């Protein structure tokens, strides 16, 4: 019970810090990436299109429904883009603060050095970015939102100080390119579509059961099956698009690490991962869904850029 109370206290403390002002805005992503804003509007109009049918019958009701949906939509986007959502995701991902003296003495100076170089190149980088740890043997690092840079215990034990700086510089590249925020927003919109799909499919199943053993019930069943096939196909294509974009983001983050002076350090870390990789053989669909490029290609790109 005491441990639960302690976790809640730490969580509330994090939320309090999240509400403090910052020179960077969570909405900067929309100014830097206007296509993201356009995409979110398209998602909204797709969701709100179901109200168009009642426009001729009750135009005022249609307007109220569409405006209410828009308001809820942007409130949810603001929440998803906020530091509060980021804090919640940290707890959901078992992310913890740097705690032991050994961790502080080693990781904080490395982080501060890389942060200084990143801030010199991009003044818009948030001043609230902090390093965190996940107690996992997996050799990995990732970001959550725009202020959370996470390194696993496996990476800390595997890489030397220079290689850790290269890995951190790569993650700063993701932060600079708003990749963490974009991932949260894309996940949010995809989840909405999945909920809408489940709801519509459920309604069709109810109608199918209601008119069971007659032509109307069979018709609802056919429409439901066609709808589910179309949605699954759209989601599959969407997954391929997201995966392709994710691979491009990795290359960009690599180049960013090089641009702030950590290309060699990152390359050394990638070579270690390359040496640890027993097999990366995948089938056609798995390769299409791959979110990270093949390690050898990332190393090749870093080496060719350094030689050039």
């Amino acid at each position: 019970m005491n441990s639960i109370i302690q976790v809640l206290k730490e969580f509330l403390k994090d939320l309090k810090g999240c509400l403090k002002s910052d020179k960077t805005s969570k909405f900067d992503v929309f100014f830097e990436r206007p296509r993201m804003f356009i995409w979110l509007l398209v998602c909204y109009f797709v969701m709100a299109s179901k109200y168009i049918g009642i426009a001729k019958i009750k135009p005022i009701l249609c307007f109220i429904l569409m405006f209410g949906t828009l308001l809820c939509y942007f409130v949810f986007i603001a929440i998803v883009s906020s530091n509060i959502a980021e804090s919640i995701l940290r707890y959901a991902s078992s992310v913890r603060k740097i705690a032991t003296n050994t961790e502080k003495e080693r990781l904080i100076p490395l982080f501060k050095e890389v942060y200084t170089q990143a801030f010199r190149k991009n003044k818009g980088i948030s001043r609230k970015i902090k390093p965190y740890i996940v107690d996992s043997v997996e050799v990995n690092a990732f970001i959550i939102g725009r202020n959370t840079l996470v390194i696993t215990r496996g990476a800390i034990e595997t890489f030397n100080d220079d290689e850790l700086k290269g890995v951190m510089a790569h993650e700063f590249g993701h932060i600079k390119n708003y990749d963490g925020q974009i991932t949260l927003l894309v996940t949010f919109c995809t989840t909405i579509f999945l909920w809408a799909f489940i709801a519509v499919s459920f309604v069709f199943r109810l109608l199918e059961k209601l008119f069971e053993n007659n032509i109307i019930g069979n018709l609802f069943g056919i429409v439901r099956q066609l709808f589910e096939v179309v949605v699954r196909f759209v989601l599959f294509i969407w997954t391929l698009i997201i995966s392709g974009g994710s691979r491009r983001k990795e290359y960009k983050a690599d180049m960013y690490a090089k641009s702030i002076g950590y290309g060699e350090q990152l390359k050394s870390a990638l070579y270690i991962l390359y040496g640890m990789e027993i097999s990366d053989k995948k089938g056609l669909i798995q390769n299409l869904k791959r979110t990270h490029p093949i390690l050898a290609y990332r190393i090749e790109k870093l080496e060719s850029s350094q030689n050039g």
Side-chain angles (χ1 to χ4, degrees):
M1 185 67 182
N2 289 334
S3 61
I4 295 174
I5 293 173
Q6 183 63 29
V7 168
L8 287 173
K9 284 182 178 179
E10 291 179 2
F11 179 65
L12 291 173
K13 185 178 178 181
D14 276 356
L15 292 186
K16 184 179 179 181
C18 289
L19 295 173
K20 292 180 181 178
S21 61
D22 188 9
K23 288 188 176 181
T24 59
S25 168
K26 58 181 172 287
F27 298 112
D28 285 347
V29 61
F30 299 120
F31 297 103
E32 295 289 333
R33 302 281 187 90
R35 284 183 298 179
M36 189 71 193
F37 182 71
I38 294 170
W39 177 75
L40 287 170
L41 282 180
V42 170
C43 290
Y44 161 72
F45 283 116
V46 169
M47 283 194 307
S49 61
K50 59 181 176 290
Y51 301 131
I52 295 175
I54 63 174
K56 292 182 179 179
I57 304 172
K58 295 182 178 180
I60 296 177
L61 178 61
C62 177
F63 172 78
I64 292 172
L65 289 172
M66 292 189 73
F67 180 77
T69 302
L70 181 65
L71 183 63
C72 293
Y73 188 67
F74 278 107
V75 167
F76 275 117
I77 288 175
I79 293 172
V80 170
S81 302
S82 72
N83 293 333
I84 294 175
E86 192 173 316
S87 181
I88 293 171
L89 285 174
R90 281 202 296 269
Y91 282 92
S93 304
S94 300
V95 173
R96 66 170 175 84
K97 296 177 181 178
I98 295 175
T100 69
N101 287 335
T102 303
E103 291 170 350
K104 291 176 182 177
E105 289 169 3
R106 184 184 179 198
L107 296 178
I108 291 178
L110 301 180
F111 173 82
K112 286 182 177 179
E113 179 188 323
V114 179
Y115 177 85
T116 300
Q117 295 301 320
F119 189 76
R120 283 175 181 170
K121 186 173 179 65
N122 302 98
K123 302 295 184 184
I125 286 182
S126 171
R127 296 179 182 273
K128 287 186 175 182
I129 302 171
K130 292 181 180 179
Y132 294 85
I133 292 176
V134 166
D135 293 310
S136 168
V137 295
E138 182 184 6
V139 181
N140 194 19
F142 57 93
I143 60 168
I144 299 175
R146 64 196 183 103
N147 290 317
T148 303
L149 192 157
V150 184
I151 303 174
T152 64
R153 287 273 299 282
I156 294 169
E157 297 299 326
T158 300
F159 299 131
N160 63 31
D161 288 358
D162 283 341
E163 289 156 354
L164 280 175
K165 286 189 282 189
V167 170
M168 289 181 185
H170 171 89
E171 298 307 323
F172 269 102
H174 284 306
I175 292 172
K176 180 262 177 185
N177 292 323
Y178 303 99
D179 293 339
Q181 285 178 270
I182 290 171
T183 298
L184 291 179
L185 289 167
V186 168
T187 302
F188 160 70
C189 289
T190 303
T191 302
I192 285 180
F193 278 121
L194 286 173
W195 287 347
F197 160 66
I198 292 170
V200 172
S201 181
F202 178 73
V203 170
F204 274 120
R205 285 182 184 275
L206 284 179
L207 292 171
E208 191 178 348
K209 286 286 185 183
L210 184 63
F211 297 98
E212 195 173 9
N213 299 325
N214 63 48
I215 190 169
I216 298 177
N218 293 333
L219 182 62
F220 277 123
I222 293 170
V223 172
R224 176 184 60 78
Q225 291 174 14
L226 287 173
F227 174 72
E228 289 178 354
V229 168
V230 170
V231 169
R232 287 194 177 96
F233 177 75
V234 170
L235 286 175
F236 174 72
I237 297 300
W238 178 241
T239 300
L240 298 187
I241 293 171
I242 294 298
S243 298
S246 179
R247 293 193 294 272
R248 288 192 295 273
K249 289 173 184 176
E250 293 301 316
Y251 285 124
K252 287 182 179 179
D254 287 346
M255 291 300 104
Y256 181 83
K258 174 185 174 294
S259 73
I260 62 173
Y262 295 98
E264 283 292 337
Q265 294 90 328
L266 176 61
K267 185 179 73 172
S268 178
L270 292 178
Y271 261 117
I272 289 177
L273 292 175
Y274 175 75
M276 295 169 59
E277 192 176 66
I278 298 173
S279 174
D280 193 30
K281 185 179 179 181
K282 300 178 185 294
L284 174 62
I285 301 301
Q286 288 177 310
N287 275 317
L288 290 173
K289 291 182 177 181
R290 184 192 290 269
T291 57
H292 282 62
I294 294 172
L295 279 171
Y297 293 162
R298 291 177 64 184
I299 293 170
E300 178 190 33
K301 193 158 187 177
L302 275 171
E303 290 176 336
S304 62
S305 66
Q306 288 167 349
N307 293 334

